[in-house]
Each structure stands twice: as structure tokens, then as C-alpha cells.
Amino acid sequence: MQHILLGVLWAVCYVLALGYHLLLWSTGDVPSTTVALVYHVVVLTGYTALWFLLSSLFRYRHPVPGRVFWGMLLFGGLYVVLAYLAMQIPPAGIVGMAMDRDLPLAPSVPFKISLQALLKAGFAFVLLLRFRSLVLVKRTRSSQRNWNLMIGLMVVASLSGFMKSPREEVSLVQGLAIIPAVVLMVINAFRLSWIVSLSFRAKMATSAIAFLLLLLLLSLAGIDSGVEGFEAVPGATQALLYYSYPLAIFTGLAIYFGILYCTTAFLSLLFHLPTTSDFQRKAGEMAIMHSLSNLVGQV
């Protein structure tokens, strides 16, 4: 029942946000501050519902490191393809928003930016939630606290861009708000206890997949559309900024966390390769000792 309610709430907010942009196109007028405020609240409410919906769906999945990285690599590739196709909606290849007043230039533009927002936010949410299962393999109180604190600080950093124009770059205040979130991202990026128990072959395969995922995430990184650099889906970041500046910041931070986690995982997997045989030998010795203790107990 909870899943249905969250899904309905997200769908209603998504449709209302789409209707807002269609209204802007039909009237051609800049919205009042009150209307814009309501729009941003609706967007954030909808995507908060989507976060909790996905969080509940992924909460009880047992993490298999190789599958997590491989699944995210496939999902990331699917996102790039779908986002690229969405950018081909007329006017093709550009966002289609008036630079001076932030208004849609065509009736198809609201559908384009809404779809881009859904695709990128969905990918970023799933990325965080799948890596959460690896970070919290050992569900200690400190690890859970650090994870929840990181998400909270990411939300605070995102809200620093509330009601901000997409034409504006990241300000000093936003930069200062992002720093604490980045610190917690670095701390959580070193939660790699799942590496120790992997076999040599699994470590080799996972390290290769983590490296490929790292390259993919590097091509998707970006919060500020004014930053020069390669972008796998040209215009996706700008479209998300037009849709919701806070959502753009949150998804950008999520992808940056993915970059950090893939980097630490890749390097740690390489460094642990020489110790794999030692760990397996000790695990075998412990299994033998456990079997002997059971036999002695039976006698």
C-alpha cells in the first residue's frame, strides 16, 4: 500500500510539473514568484516520493558486488541511450528554453525537459541506493549514521539552489554548502569491507567493471552547465537545471559519489589481489577447525 501511495504522489506531482511548463509555453509570460514557489515545492515533493519508493524497493536486496557494478553499468548505458533519444525531441539537439526568460520555445520542450529530469534523477537515485547496499554490508551504527548524514547534507546542499535561475552558476554559498556533503561522501567511499571475501577471479572481474562504470560516470558528471567539458548527453545537465536547480545539484552530487566509490573500489580491488590466496587459506583453515570442533563435540 505504501508503494502505491508513493507512486501515485510522484505521478501527480510529475503531471503537475509538466502542466506548469505547458502553461508557461501557452501564455508566454514569466510566472509570478508564488506560482514558481509552488512549482518547485511540487517538484521536490514528487522526487522525494520517488526516492522513498525506490529506497523501499531496493532496501532488502542482498548485495552481490559484481552484480551491483555490472547492473549499474548496464543501467547507465541504457540511461545514456534514452537521454540521447529524448534530446532528439524537436527542437532536436538543444534544450529549447528561451535564455532570457526561461520559457519553453515549443510545446514539445516541456516533455523533453521533464523526461530528461526523470531519466537522470532515476539513474542517480538507483546509483545511490545500489551503492548503499555495499556501503552498509556491515550495518554498524556508525556506517548507517554516516550514510544518513551524507544524504541529509546532500539534500541541504541541493536546497541551497532553491528558486535559483538556471542561468546562474554555482555560488559561493552553494559551494560552502556542498563541502560537508563531499566530506561525508569521501568517508562513505571507503566502506569497502565486501572486497575481502571475494575470490581472485571475482576481484579481477569487479575491478574491470568498476573501471568501466567510473568512465561512464565521469562522462555524466556535472552540476553547473557553464563548466566546459565532455558530456555523454549534451544538454542533459542544462535541461535538468531548467527543470529544477536543487534536483540538478542532488543528481550531480550522487554521480560524484559514484565516481568516488568506483575509484576507491577499483584501487582497493587491485591492491587486494595479492592477498586473496592468504585470505582463502585462512578461511579454509577456519572451516577445518570448525568441522573438527563439531566432530569433537559429537564424540
Side-chain angles (χ1 to χ4, degrees):
M1 186 63 181
Q2 180 184 7
H3 294 168
I4 296 176
L5 292 177
L6 289 173
V8 170
L9 177 59
W10 168 79
V12 170
C13 292
Y14 186 81
V15 171
L16 289 175
L18 177 62
Y20 167 83
H21 287 286
L22 288 172
L23 181 64
L24 292 184
W25 171 78
S26 63
T27 61
D29 296 328
V30 177
S32 65
T33 303
T34 303
V35 173
L37 175 64
V38 172
Y39 162 75
H40 286 289
V41 171
V42 168
V43 169
L44 295 181
T45 301
Y47 279 92
T48 300
L50 180 62
W51 166 265
F52 282 110
L53 175 61
L54 294 175
S55 179
S56 62
L57 293 176
F58 286 101
R59 182 175 299 277
Y60 301 107
R61 293 195 176 186
H62 181 70
V64 179
R67 292 181 181 178
V68 171
F69 284 98
W70 178 245
M72 287 312 308
L73 181 61
L74 293 179
F75 190 40
L78 179 62
Y79 159 71
V80 170
V81 172
L82 293 178
Y84 177 80
L85 292 176
M87 285 302 297
Q88 304 313 307
I89 297 175
I94 61 174
V95 177
M97 299 289 288
M99 295 297 294
D100 53 345
R101 296 191 299 169
D102 302 336
L103 296 175
L105 296 175
S108 59
V109 173
F111 295 94
K112 176 188 290 189
I113 63 173
S114 298
L115 183 56
Q116 286 289 352
L118 175 59
L119 290 172
K120 191 162 188 178
F123 172 73
F125 288 177
V126 173
L127 179 69
L128 278 177
L129 294 171
R130 294 303 286 151
F131 280 168
R132 179 185 67 178
S133 64
L134 297 180
V135 172
L136 300 180
V137 165
K138 293 184 177 180
R139 291 182 176 271
T140 62
R141 186 173 299 177
S142 62
S143 64
Q144 290 181 327
R145 181 182 64 248
N146 289 338
W147 177 265
N148 293 332
L149 187 58
M150 183 190 78
I151 298 298
L153 290 174
M154 289 172 62
V155 171
V156 171
S158 302
L159 292 177
S160 66
F162 189 72
M163 295 286 290
K164 190 173 181 179
S165 171
R167 298 188 303 274
E168 300 179 35
E169 298 181 357
V170 176
S171 64
L172 177 61
V173 174
Q174 288 176 279
L176 294 176
I178 289 173
I179 290 175
V182 173
V183 172
L184 266 296
M185 287 162 59
V186 173
I187 293 174
N188 283 303
F190 284 93
R191 294 285 182 176
L192 302 165
S193 57
W194 49 269
I195 289 179
V196 180
S197 59
L198 294 180
S199 65
F200 182 84
R201 179 178 295 181
K203 288 179 180 177
M204 287 290 293
T206 306
S207 63
I209 299 171
F211 181 72
L212 293 177
L213 181 57
L214 172 62
L215 296 180
L216 176 64
L217 293 176
L218 285 172
S219 70
L220 299 176
I223 295 177
D224 189 348
S225 62
V227 177
E228 296 292 336
F230 173 77
E231 189 177 6
V233 186
T237 300
Q238 188 180 15
L240 189 53
L241 286 169
Y242 276 110
Y243 188 81
S244 173
Y245 208 114
L247 189 61
I249 294 177
F250 188 88
T251 56
L253 290 174
I255 291 175
Y256 283 131
F257 174 73
I259 292 172
L260 285 172
Y261 201 79
C262 286
T263 302
T264 56
F266 173 70
L267 295 176
S268 297
L269 284 165
L270 292 182
F271 291 146
H272 276 79
L273 285 177
T275 64
T276 303
S277 59
D278 295 336
F279 175 80
Q280 291 178 340
R281 185 177 66 254
K282 290 181 179 180
E285 293 173 353
M286 292 180 64
I288 293 173
M289 293 297 295
H290 182 69
S291 299
L292 288 175
S293 63
N294 288 336
L295 289 175
V296 172
Q298 292 175 0
V299 173

